[in-house]
Amino acid sequence: MGIVVAIDGPAGAGKSSTAKEVARQLDYVYVDTGAMYRAVTLIVLEQNIDISDHAKISDIAKNILIEFRWIDDVFHTFVDNVDVTDKIRSKEVVSMVSPVSVIPEVREILANNQRKLADTDNIVMEGRDIGTNVFPNAEFKFYITADVEVRAKRRIHDYKKIGQDLTVEEIIEKMKQRDKIDSSREHSPLKKAQDAVTIDTSDLTFEEQVGKIVDIVKNK
Ligand code: DC
């Protein structure tokens, strides 16, 4: 069993970029669990499956192969060997991913797959329930957060990159909706683990937030 660094927090707090850089500096494997929920959601949309059809959605979660690959220093997500890196960031996927993530069977399937990833490697895993549910005994737990306006401004660039122009207000609205569903769902909601270290990135530089985590891991 490898060492687990769990990084949780709401959308846009800087989790992904921070977790990736932490993994690079520690030479751990980076795992983006949000990309896994997004990948299932993308296939649900592509196959036009009704959101109330939990059996079909669970089948998708069970049967698709989600893989991560680094290509020229860029993190890519593949589903059944197709590169879905950009598609899983679209606003259509964003609107549907929280309702899909609420489904208990989907969570169980993905959480089990996530646990397997630590069998052989040291990992930095980011998500919403890593420190509380996937790895309640993780050696290191962090909860990354930031003001909603700061988070929305950061996300604008992510949408621009894939050719979708949204205003800050639109993004704030989407984020609040998503935070609300993610935090209030019955099964493994977004919640800070009691023993997690909170890092508020509103006023931190990228180097500072990465440094805080890397220092704690290295100094233990
Ligand atoms: O981190 P992200 O924005 O890519 O996550 C997308 C959605 O996936 C998020 O709104 C909730 C869900 N998610 C989850 O329920 N549990 C996780 N561990 C990771 C993501």
Side-chain angles (χ1 to χ4, degrees):
M1 173 88 185
I3 299 170
V4 174
V5 178
I7 300 187
D8 291 301
K15 276 191 318 276
S16 295
S17 49
T18 305
K20 275 180 201 149
E21 181 57 20
V22 167
R24 199 187 64 77
Q25 292 191 16
L26 295 171
D27 201 17
Y28 285 15
V29 172
Y30 164 68
V31 183
D32 179 358
T33 64
M36 299 167 85
Y37 287 93
R38 288 168 183 265
V40 173
T41 305
L42 175 69
I43 307 304
V44 167
L45 288 169
E46 283 183 354
Q47 297 188 2
N48 252 319
I49 292 166
D50 196 281
I51 187 67
S52 63
D53 194 342
H54 290 192
K56 269 208 184 123
I57 298 176
S58 306
D59 273 347
I60 288 176
K62 221 178 288 165
N63 294 322
I64 61 173
L65 176 65
I66 303 170
E67 290 172 299
F68 299 125
R69 296 179 206 161
W70 285 95
I71 302 172
D72 294 334
D73 270 347
V74 179
F75 184 79
H76 287 250
T77 303
F78 284 75
V79 172
D80 295 332
N81 270 314
V82 177
D83 191 337
V84 296
T85 308
D86 286 345
K87 275 193 182 163
I88 60 170
R89 304 283 150 197
S90 71
K91 59 184 179 210
E92 292 75 18
V93 168
V94 168
S95 301
M96 202 53 144
V97 66
S98 285
V100 168
S101 312
V102 164
I103 303 169
E105 295 87 345
V106 170
R107 303 205 65 80
E108 208 174 299
I109 292 160
L110 294 186
N112 280 331
N113 291 344
Q114 290 155 14
R115 290 186 190 109
K116 280 185 206 135
L117 296 171
D119 282 351
T120 46
D121 288 304
N122 295 331
I123 59 172
V124 174
M125 183 173 282
E126 64 145 301
R128 302 290 189 288
D129 63 336
I130 311 307
T132 51
N133 173 51
V134 181
F135 290 108
N137 298 319
E139 284 84 349
F140 301 99
K141 296 182 186 179
F142 297 92
Y143 191 81
I144 301 197
T145 180
D147 297 338
V148 72
E149 286 80 12
V150 175
R151 295 196 272 130
K153 281 186 186 144
R154 289 180 184 156
R155 270 289 149 102
I156 276 195
H157 306 292
D158 296 342
Y159 281 111
K160 280 229 171 83
K161 255 192 261 167
I162 60 168
Q164 295 191 325
D165 277 318
L166 278 78
T167 64
V168 178
E169 290 70 29
E170 284 171 321
I171 298 177
I172 289 179
E173 200 41 50
K174 273 187 191 299
M175 259 177 187
K176 284 190 174 160
Q177 274 169 11
R178 204 140 68 91
D179 288 349
K180 189 158 170 244
I181 305 180
D182 293 348
S183 313
S184 58
R185 67 171 172 240
E186 196 181 333
H187 292 273
S188 49
L190 165 66
K191 200 176 91 191
K192 176 181 147 11
Q194 262 182 351
D195 51 348
V197 175
T198 298
I199 299 180
D200 186 327
T201 65
S202 307
D203 299 313
L204 291 182
T205 65
F206 180 65
E207 288 72 24
E208 286 169 336
Q209 63 210 39
V210 171
K212 274 181 191 260
I213 297 177
V214 170
D215 283 351
I216 290 175
V217 176
K218 280 195 172 156
N219 291 328
K220 192 168 169 191

